[in-house]
Amino acid sequence: ISVNGVQTCALPIYGKSGTLFAESFEYNLEKKIITAEKNVKFIDKEKNTYYFSKLNADDKFDEIIGYDINADLNKQNLKSGDKFNEFIEPRFSGKSASIKNNITIIKDARFTTCKKTNETDGCAYWNLNAGELIHDKEQKKITYKNASLDLNNVPEIGRAHV
């Protein structure tokens, strides 16, 4: 459907950087901008999965801006030589995200490698909270700014300024 140069649809959109799914899409033909809302999911070429409440992107997914992000990272990209990988579910969340040139920047971020079931099973878990998290997919590096460590909901034990 096209109205005033804006097309709407509910099908997946495929790009060179990944695939976008949502209940509602709008595509501005003139600006070549995609807006997605309601159950937004983006799977990048490294098989990292990002969930958003709302997302804006260019039509090639070279630049993405999203809100209320929850991301499940592909643990195979963190593969180690021991059995460590079977016990991890690397993921992060935050208020907003910007993804461009293999760099993801998350505002008001939280990162952990603990399995989601750890919290419900009463097992120990941890979160690294940061004012800003920078994930460089090419370098396989995560940098934290204004970070604090949360150990099983024990109050902050310190704050590192990186």
Side-chain angles (χ1 to χ4, degrees):
I1 300 171
S2 179
V3 179
N4 296 329
V6 175
Q7 292 185 335
T8 60
C9 70
L11 300 172
I13 299 175
Y14 302 95
K16 68 176 183 171
S17 299
T19 304
L20 179 64
F21 303 86
E23 287 182 31
S24 173
F25 289 105
E26 286 187 3
Y27 181 64
N28 186 308
L29 297 169
E30 192 175 291
K31 296 180 180 178
K32 298 185 178 187
I33 299 290
I34 298 166
T35 301
E37 294 182 289
K38 299 181 185 171
N39 296 319
V40 180
K41 178 170 84 170
F42 180 73
I43 302 172
D44 68 17
K45 61 186 177 186
E46 289 86 18
K47 298 183 182 174
N48 298 306
T49 304
Y50 305 89
Y51 302 92
F52 301 94
S53 62
K54 182 179 179 179
L55 176 141
N56 295 309
D58 64 86
D59 62 356
K60 295 180 182 163
F61 303 126
D62 288 332
E63 186 170 0
I64 298 171
I65 297 172
Y67 304 92
D68 305 313
I69 183 173
N70 285 291
D72 295 323
L73 303 178
N74 179 358
K75 71 179 181 179
Q76 296 307 313
N77 293 334
L78 302 175
K79 197 169 189 174
S80 63
D82 56 23
K83 292 186 178 192
F84 178 70
N85 267 40
E86 65 188 77
F87 300 107
I88 67 169
E89 287 181 2
R91 62 191 189 280
F92 56 76
S93 61
K95 285 189 179 178
S96 64
S98 166
I99 304 170
K100 185 177 180 179
N101 298 327
N102 286 318
I103 304 288
T104 302
I105 299 173
I106 310 295
K107 300 292 185 182
D108 293 327
R110 171 176 272 184
F111 173 79
T112 190
T113 58
C114 297
K115 286 190 171 190
K116 292 175 185 171
T117 56
N118 285 10
E119 293 179 45
T120 57
D121 293 344
C123 298
Y125 64 92
W126 61 270
N127 291 299
L128 192 52
N129 303 314
E132 184 175 83
L133 176 152
I134 303 166
H135 178 214
D136 185 327
K137 290 185 255 180
E138 219 170 85
Q139 299 282 325
K140 296 183 180 183
K141 175 181 169 184
I142 298 176
T143 304
Y144 307 90
K145 293 187 178 179
N146 197 23
S148 64
L149 181 62
D150 175 6
L151 296 172
N152 204 10
N153 285 328
V154 173
E156 288 185 14
I157 61 171
R159 187 170 291 275
H161 297 280
V162 182

